[in-house]
Amino acid sequence: MSHSLNLKKLSFLVYGLGSTGNSVINYFKKKNISSFFVWDDNLKLRKKFKSNNVLDLNRTLKKVDYIVLSPGISLNKTKHKKSLIKFKKKIITDIDLFYLINSNVKSIVVTGSNGKSTTCKIIAHLLKKNKFNFELGGNIGKPVLNMKIKKNTFFVIEASSFQLSHSKFIHPNYSILLNITNDHIDWHGSMKSYIESKLKIFDLQKK
């Protein structure tokens, strides 16, 4: 399935100002995307972005086209749980943005309860040994929006269940699910939700 997104025609709320949220903001600024707001439950972090600050969170959630939610934020734990659940259909991730903007990239996405980083590094090593161009990022360290987009490049992406939980547009060429064990249930709310988040790497794949 192919997607494309003209960012300049849409508005966003970047919710969560950790490394992922900051990578989204830096990407927007780099591409001259001005219609975005920022929010973090931590007031000190919000104050760093005065020009894009939110005065009324509920009003902004209703107003924007998409909510780019950082992976560290659990809908089950945030104090704005009710508001976010109300607009859950708008929630996407930085990985969604990557695919919406770069619809034709070649990508390999790896997820699983254990062994994601090791597997991604092995894949990257094999690509390098066989003289393929590649970029390595995602949960492994470099945010996906910080990866350099070049032709004839494989993008090896480590995806956590937190990142996949709200993903709606991820469509890898190759998806690898290593394993699923009883993990992060407090974040997801149930084992069923945890498993469903992992299986999202297959949902939009072509035959």
Side-chain angles (χ1 to χ4, degrees):
M1 186 176 291
S2 179
H3 307 277
S4 61
L5 183 70
N6 187 339
L7 298 185
K8 292 184 178 180
K9 291 184 178 180
L10 300 168
S11 58
F12 300 87
L13 171 66
V14 181
Y15 196 118
L17 301 175
S19 60
T20 299
N22 276 282
S23 75
V24 174
I25 291 167
N26 290 335
Y27 185 86
F28 284 164
K29 288 180 176 179
K30 181 180 176 183
K31 297 296 181 180
N32 296 314
I33 309 302
S34 58
S35 187
F36 73 90
F37 305 91
V38 301
W39 179 271
D40 194 285
D41 293 345
N42 185 323
L43 180 60
K44 288 182 180 179
L45 291 177
R46 290 206 306 273
K47 285 183 176 180
K48 294 179 181 179
F49 300 92
K50 292 180 181 179
S51 61
N52 300 92
N53 228 323
V54 168
L55 298 177
D56 186 328
L57 180 60
N58 286 322
R59 184 178 177 183
T60 304
L61 289 170
K62 183 178 180 180
K63 174 182 174 183
V64 297
D65 294 298
Y66 287 108
I67 303 159
V68 187
L69 191 68
S70 291
I73 297 169
S74 168
L75 290 190
N76 297 311
K77 293 185 176 182
T78 178
K79 62 182 179 182
H80 298 291
K81 173 182 177 179
K82 288 183 179 179
S83 297
L84 284 171
I85 289 175
K86 183 178 179 181
F87 298 103
K88 193 174 181 179
K89 289 183 178 180
K90 294 184 178 184
I91 295 177
I92 61 172
T93 67
D94 63 321
I95 294 181
D96 286 326
L97 279 175
F98 175 81
Y99 280 99
L100 284 167
I101 299 159
N102 309 292
S103 60
N104 295 316
V105 296
K106 292 182 179 179
S107 62
I108 303 167
V109 172
V110 179
T111 194
S113 299
N114 302 288
K116 295 185 292 296
S117 296
T118 301
T119 303
C120 285
K121 288 175 183 176
I122 290 170
I123 292 170
H125 174 75
L126 290 169
L127 290 170
K128 183 177 180 179
K129 280 288 185 181
N130 288 280
K131 303 188 186 308
F132 286 98
N133 295 320
F134 71 91
E135 281 281 317
L136 177 61
N139 191 57
I140 199 168
K142 183 191 290 186
V144 291
L145 293 177
N146 288 3
M147 294 193 294
K148 294 179 181 179
I149 306 301
K150 303 174 187 175
K151 287 184 178 180
N152 301 316
T153 298
F154 276 98
F155 294 89
V156 183
I157 300 171
E158 178 186 326
S160 71
S161 60
F162 305 153
Q163 291 169 307
L164 293 171
S165 181
H166 303 295
S167 289
K168 294 176 174 66
F169 302 106
I170 182 172
H171 58 283
N173 297 88
Y174 304 95
S175 296
I176 301 174
L177 174 57
L178 299 171
N179 47 58
I180 298 179
T181 60
N182 195 354
D183 201 6
H184 303 308
I185 307 306
D186 58 334
W187 194 97
H188 289 278
S190 69
M191 188 66 179
K192 181 177 181 288
S193 294
Y194 177 54
I195 292 170
E196 286 175 349
S197 72
K198 292 292 191 187
L199 294 176
K200 283 189 177 183
I201 59 171
F202 305 112
D203 286 350
L204 297 181
Q205 281 192 305
K206 295 178 181 178
K207 185 177 179 181

